[in-house]
């Protein structure tokens, strides 16, 4: 049987990607620039919040998920949900140290086949007008991501509104890794349309492409986001651009080789220092960079004993790693 990570990559890419139709690249926008370690370290709390989303609701409701929860010790959970299979784990709460509400979604766990199917069953689809009022019909997104988002949208909206009232704040940060990153981006869009005056930002890790060119343009024009990508991670380069998908801007990339951190301006920047240029295609991309140490998020894989031994955490899914970005191997 094929490795589950290879199945994930093959399904999400689609069989036709092996013989992809040609497409025209747009000119790269702007110059890649270095990001200091000090500036990058400002994302650390949100990295741990994204990692904590892999823990089940009984652990995030009382904030007892081990090292990842301990990294943000004053966080106050409001609500948690999901079963990790039909519905990704999620939680909402308030962090007084950061003065923001946090909304977090679980990413893709290779052990959860239904999560893989959510990633695999894709085509570009219109947005639900009830969840995303006023969105133009030319703005489209991955149907599986839209369907998964819709399962939790009402509960998350209610939890965010309650926390805004309780904490007297309008600041919200959506976070996630992998599929959770895609859901975080949709959450940022959803909450900005549902809550007048909300001040929302989105920070995610290893996000796949979510929507089409019109979607990417809408995000760039209306949302504050940061996409963090790692080395030759396969997931950010799928679904393919030839299928009509396009990344929004605001990428920070941890480079292959020496682990330098750079800011990549523009949409799908093809510079070799950025994700789309670093992992040019399926054959040079490496899914281990998706679940690797760069994000301090490591999903245990049943077929990788050495990885399991390195990352086994107290609740069986994730554990903090302190070497991010890693030194060159």
């Amino acid at each position: 049987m094929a490795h589950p990570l290879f199945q994930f990559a093959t399904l999400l890419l689609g069989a036709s990607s092996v013989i992809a139709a040609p497409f025209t690249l747009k000119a790269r926008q702007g110059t890649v620039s270095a990001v200091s370690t000090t500036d990058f370290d400002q994302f650390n709390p949100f990295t741990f919040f994204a990692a904590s989303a892999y823990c089940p609701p009984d652990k995030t409701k009382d904030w007892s998920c081990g090292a990842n929860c301990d990294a943000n010790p004053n966080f106050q959970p409001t609500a948690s949900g999901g079963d990790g299979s039909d519905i990704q784990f999620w939680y909402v709460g308030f962090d007084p140290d950061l003065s923001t509400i946090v909304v977090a979604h679980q990413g893709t766990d290779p052990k959860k086949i239904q999560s893989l199917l959510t990633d695999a069953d894709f085509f570009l689809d219109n947005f639900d007008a009830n969840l995303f009022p006023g969105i133009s019909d030319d703005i489209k997104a991955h149907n599986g991501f839209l369907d998964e988002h819709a399962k939790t949208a009402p509960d998350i909206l209610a939890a965010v509104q309650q926390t805004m009232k309780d904490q007297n704040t309008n600041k919200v940060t959506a976070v996630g890794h992998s599929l959770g990153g895609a859901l975080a981006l949709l959450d940022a869009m959803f909450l900005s349309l549902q809550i007048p005056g909300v001040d929302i930002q989105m920070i995610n890790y290893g996000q796949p492409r979510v929507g089409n060119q019109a979607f990417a343009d809408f995000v760039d024009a209306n949302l504050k986001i940061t996409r963090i990508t790692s080395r030759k991670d396969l997931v950010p380069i799928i679904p393919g651009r030839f299928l009509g998908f396009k990344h929004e801007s605001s990428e920070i990339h941890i480079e292959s080789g020496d682990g330098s951190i750079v800011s990549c301006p523009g949409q799908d920047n093809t510079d070799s220092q950025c994700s789309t240029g670093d992992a040019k295609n399926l054959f040079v991309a490496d899914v281990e960079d998706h679940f690797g140490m760069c994000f301090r998020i490591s999903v245990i894989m049943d077929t990788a004993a050495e990885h399991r031994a390195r990352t086994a955490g107290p609740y069986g899914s994730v554990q903090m790693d302190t070497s991010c970005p890693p030194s060159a191997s």
Side-chain angles (χ1 to χ4, degrees):
M1 183 176 179
H3 192 292
L5 291 177
F6 182 77
Q7 291 177 323
F8 164 59
T10 303
L11 290 171
L12 186 50
L13 276 162
S16 60
S17 65
V18 178
I19 49 173
F23 57 88
T24 302
L25 290 175
K26 291 189 175 182
R28 287 174 288 188
Q29 302 173 22
T31 303
V32 173
S33 58
V35 175
S36 71
T37 301
T38 300
D39 287 341
F40 188 75
D41 283 348
Q42 295 178 22
F43 295 106
N44 283 353
F46 303 105
T47 310
F48 289 111
F49 279 129
S52 298
Y54 280 91
C55 297
D58 63 320
K59 298 300 181 183
T60 52
K61 281 180 180 177
D62 61 6
W63 210 236
S64 62
C65 63
N68 290 303
C69 286
D70 293 343
N72 292 300
N74 296 318
F75 182 71
Q76 303 164 19
T78 300
S80 299
D83 58 17
S85 181
D86 290 325
I87 300 175
Q88 304 298 106
F89 296 146
W90 61 270
Y91 67 84
V92 175
F94 179 72
D95 191 288
D97 298 330
L98 300 170
S99 299
T100 185
I101 296 167
V102 175
V103 180
H105 283 276
Q106 175 194 12
T108 305
D109 183 340
K111 295 186 298 180
K112 307 293 187 181
I113 186 63
Q114 288 180 320
S115 294
L116 295 182
L117 292 175
T118 299
D119 286 18
D121 175 23
F122 70 88
F123 54 84
L124 286 165
D125 201 3
N126 292 112
F127 283 75
D128 183 328
N130 293 318
L131 296 178
F132 299 88
I135 291 298
S136 170
D137 286 344
D138 66 342
I139 298 175
K140 301 179 186 297
H142 182 297
N143 70 305
F145 299 162
L146 289 173
D147 290 346
E148 187 67 26
H149 177 265
K151 295 175 184 178
T152 60
D155 290 338
I156 285 176
L157 177 60
V160 169
Q161 290 174 321
Q162 184 62 52
T163 310
M164 289 177 68
K165 179 180 178 181
D166 293 344
Q167 301 295 338
N168 191 29
T169 184
N170 70 336
K171 293 184 178 180
V172 180
T173 303
V175 301
H177 167 253
S178 191
L179 170 59
L183 297 176
L185 181 56
L186 292 174
D187 266 344
M189 185 175 178
F190 164 67
L191 293 171
S192 71
L193 295 170
Q194 291 285 343
I195 306 175
V198 69
D199 180 3
I200 190 162
Q201 66 172 339
M202 190 282 305
I203 300 167
N204 70 22
Y205 306 82
Q207 173 210 305
R209 294 187 180 102
V210 174
N212 64 356
Q213 180 70 65
F215 173 82
D217 291 342
F218 179 90
V219 170
D220 286 351
N222 294 281
L223 298 176
K224 296 182 294 185
I225 71 165
T226 301
R227 293 190 302 110
I228 299 176
T229 58
S230 173
R231 299 188 171 194
K232 296 186 185 296
D233 183 0
L234 180 147
V235 173
I237 68 167
I238 52 181
R241 288 173 290 171
F242 72 96
L243 294 171
F245 287 83
K246 188 76 172 181
H247 262 311
E248 52 289 328
S249 301
S250 303
E251 176 190 4
I252 292 178
H253 185 62
I254 302 167
E255 291 187 71
S256 297
D258 64 1
S260 297
I261 308 165
V262 296
S263 174
C264 298
Q267 299 173 346
D268 264 317
N269 194 318
T270 57
D271 191 290
S272 62
Q273 299 175 89
C274 304
S275 178
T276 302
D278 201 357
K280 296 180 179 65
N281 55 56
L282 174 64
F283 303 103
V284 301
D286 187 353
V287 77
E288 291 293 335
D289 285 337
H290 187 60
F291 296 109
M293 310 310 280
C294 290
F295 300 143
R296 300 189 181 95
I297 298 174
S298 297
V299 177
I300 295 173
M301 295 171 285
D302 290 338
T303 55
E306 71 282 2
H307 187 90
R308 190 161 62 249
R310 185 179 73 229
T311 62
Y315 300 110
S317 58
V318 294
Q319 183 182 38
M320 178 189 72
D321 178 73
T322 56
S323 57
C324 185
S327 58
S329 56

